[in-house]
Amino acid sequence: MRIFIVSIFLCLHIWQPAKAANFTISGYVYDDASGEALLGAVVFDRAINKGTSSNEYGFYSFTLPEGSHEIQISYIGYQKQSISINLNQNIQKNIRLKMADQQLKEVIITAHGNEEKAAVKSTQMSSIKIQIEQIKHLPSLGGEVDIIKVMQLMPGVKRGGEGQTGMYVRGGGADQNLILLDEATVYNVSHLFGFFSVFNNDALKDVTMLKGGFPSQYGGRISSIMDIRMKEGNQQKYSAEGGVGLLSSRLTLQGPVLKDKASFLISGRRTYIDKVLGLVGLPIPYYFYDLNGKFNYTINNKDRIFYSAYFGNDVLHEPDMQDSTGENSDSSALDFGFKLGNFTNTLRWNHIYNPKLFSDKEAY
């Protein structure tokens, strides 16, 4: 009897069906025209109702059972793309999405219970994410759209004085907010005594604000975190854009150093109210300027390096004085040369160890 029972157990063990193997498809999602990494792109398999999204560097990793799959990649404002894969090993595949330029009809937005449930189940609470292209269409002061003032309009955020850049989030103080530009801390975020922020929108790509439940990689502040990301530079072609406002002008240049391999971005902004009013005999001894720069280089499929920098100043100086002969007098005794600004720089290295492990190391 004992021998019979052991034989049945061995037979069941031998005939137990093998467990299906799982493999991983991973890579980056890019803008097809510029080569910019797309943050939060959705990668989805409708057959098994499973999906993932790209992280803040455009990297995605998606583990699926062995076999044939139809993968759909989508991003707001871009054409959806579907790819067919036969998954029998780990695959690394980069995706390029094209912008959608069709004219949309009237859109009616309604809330559904599924969206509310997703918000409740989400691990990230109190998060506001705004695309820079959306910010550019908002009303502006003197031709300059200010991301700080846009965030002041969000729920749970109260502005300081009229026109000021100070933010009071959920009862906290204006100095209790952590503001990051490409992961480097920006301490002075305003120009013109608080009427303008230091951020040039033409150089920015994405803005995320967290009002609670801060992830462990941040820390250091009590009220909120504003994570601002700069553009990486067009890897396909050279381009220039700029703008002329009542108080300042700006110019941005970007393009490939090596096509599909390395790119650069340089963006500058300066006020000229001191020059304009000086022409009509009203010397204003004040101006401010900003300069953003970024360079990125793709070493191989697993390694990519970035260097970004920002430099800006508020300059207040004593205007030139003239004596009775009409000559400029020596006003060095009165020139107090006041300057208040920021200088940040970040060196970052992205590395893919395997299809499921992505790392970002930075020095700033």
Side-chain angles (χ1 to χ4, degrees):
M1 179 62 71
R2 185 177 299 173
I3 296 175
F4 179 71
I5 294 174
V6 172
S7 300
I8 294 177
F9 175 77
L10 290 175
C11 291
L12 292 175
H13 180 73
I14 292 172
W15 288 100
Q16 183 179 2
K19 185 178 180 181
N22 290 330
F23 296 100
T24 299
I25 176 174
S26 61
Y28 290 90
V29 183
Y30 296 113
D31 182 308
D32 183 63
S34 66
E36 290 277 347
L38 299 180
L39 293 64
V42 177
V43 183
F44 193 76
D45 187 342
R46 289 187 176 275
I48 62 174
N49 198 30
K50 184 179 180 182
T52 187
S53 61
S54 59
N55 64 11
E56 57 266 35
Y57 311 106
F59 177 78
Y60 74 94
S61 178
F62 195 15
T63 301
L64 294 167
E66 181 180 7
S68 298
H69 296 272
E70 186 79 16
I71 307 298
Q72 185 181 84
I73 303 94
S74 61
Y75 189 75
I76 297 176
Y78 288 75
Q79 298 176 11
K80 294 181 180 179
Q81 185 178 139
S82 296
I83 58 173
S84 298
I85 57 171
N86 184 19
L87 202 60
N88 52 22
Q89 61 179 352
N90 292 333
I91 298 176
Q92 184 172 354
K93 186 172 182 61
N94 297 332
I95 308 296
R96 290 183 173 272
L97 298 181
K98 296 182 179 180
M99 292 193 68
D101 54 2
Q102 67 269 22
Q103 185 70 30
L104 298 179
K105 297 181 179 180
E106 178 185 5
V107 177
I108 300 177
I109 301 175
T110 57
H112 298 284
N114 292 335
E115 297 176 358
E116 296 173 357
K117 291 178 181 178
V120 172
K121 293 180 180 180
S122 174
T123 57
Q124 180 57 62
M125 302 180 297
S126 304
S127 175
I128 300 173
K129 188 171 184 178
I130 300 179
Q131 300 291 334
I132 293 299
E133 294 301 323
Q134 297 174 339
I135 295 177
K136 289 182 178 180
H137 298 293
L138 297 176
S140 60
L141 173 63
E144 291 287 338
V145 180
D146 196 327
I147 62 171
I148 299 292
K149 290 184 172 57
V150 171
M151 288 300 178
Q152 289 175 344
L153 302 175
M154 299 295 107
V157 182
K158 182 180 179 182
R159 65 184 180 185
E162 185 67 32
Q164 301 295 304
T165 56
M167 294 188 303
Y168 299 87
V169 181
R170 293 184 172 177
D175 59 346
Q176 294 176 341
N177 305 301
L178 176 62
I179 300 179
L180 303 173
L181 179 62
D182 266 8
E183 303 185 31
T185 304
V186 180
Y187 294 97
N188 176 37
V189 298
S190 64
H191 286 308
L192 195 59
F193 314 106
F195 282 92
F196 291 91
S197 77
V198 301
F199 303 110
N200 182 359
N201 294 328
D202 289 346
L204 305 182
K205 175 170 66 173
D206 180 80
V207 182
T208 302
M209 186 175 188
L210 306 175
K211 298 179 292 180
F214 307 139
S216 58
Q217 71 263 30
Y218 295 111
R221 291 297 187 274
I222 299 175
S223 291
S224 72
I225 295 170
M226 184 181 293
D227 191 355
I228 303 171
R229 303 279 173 167
M230 290 175 55
K231 294 178 180 177
E232 296 169 0
N234 196 318
Q235 292 190 353
Q236 304 299 316
K237 61 181 180 179
Y238 294 98
S239 63
E241 63 177 319
V244 178
L246 296 176
L247 301 177
S248 66
S249 293
R250 61 193 185 275
L251 177 65
T252 300
L253 304 175
Q254 58 180 320
V257 179
L258 296 172
K259 193 171 182 180
D260 293 326
K261 194 79 173 177
S263 64
F264 74 93
L265 178 141
I266 299 176
S267 182
R269 177 178 66 164
R270 189 194 188 280
T271 55
Y272 42 73
I273 186 172
D274 57 324
K275 302 296 184 182
V276 174
L277 295 182
L279 296 176
V280 295
L282 296 174
I284 302 295
Y286 171 82
Y287 65 92
F288 70 79
Y289 62 88
D290 299 297
L291 181 64
N292 297 79
K294 191 165 185 177
F295 172 81
N296 79 90
Y297 178 70
T298 304
I299 301 173
N300 51 47
N301 289 335
K302 294 187 175 182
D303 296 278
R304 192 176 185 185
I305 58 173
F306 304 83
Y307 176 74
S308 58
Y310 163 77
F311 181 69
N313 259 329
D314 290 72
V315 181
L316 181 63
H317 61 90
E318 184 71 19
D320 292 334
M321 307 293 290
Q322 291 186 342
D323 55 22
S324 57
T325 63
E327 298 292 333
N328 290 335
S329 62
D330 183 9
S331 60
S332 59
L334 299 175
D335 188 3
F336 41 84
F338 172 81
K339 291 184 179 181
L340 177 63
N342 297 280
F343 174 65
T344 70
N345 62 92
T346 306
L347 180 63
R348 196 170 77 235
W349 171 38
N350 290 165
H351 178 68
I352 303 173
Y353 292 96
N354 58 56
K356 293 186 178 181
L357 183 58
F358 174 91
S359 73
D360 171 63
K361 298 179 177 67
E362 65 269 346
Y364 51 86

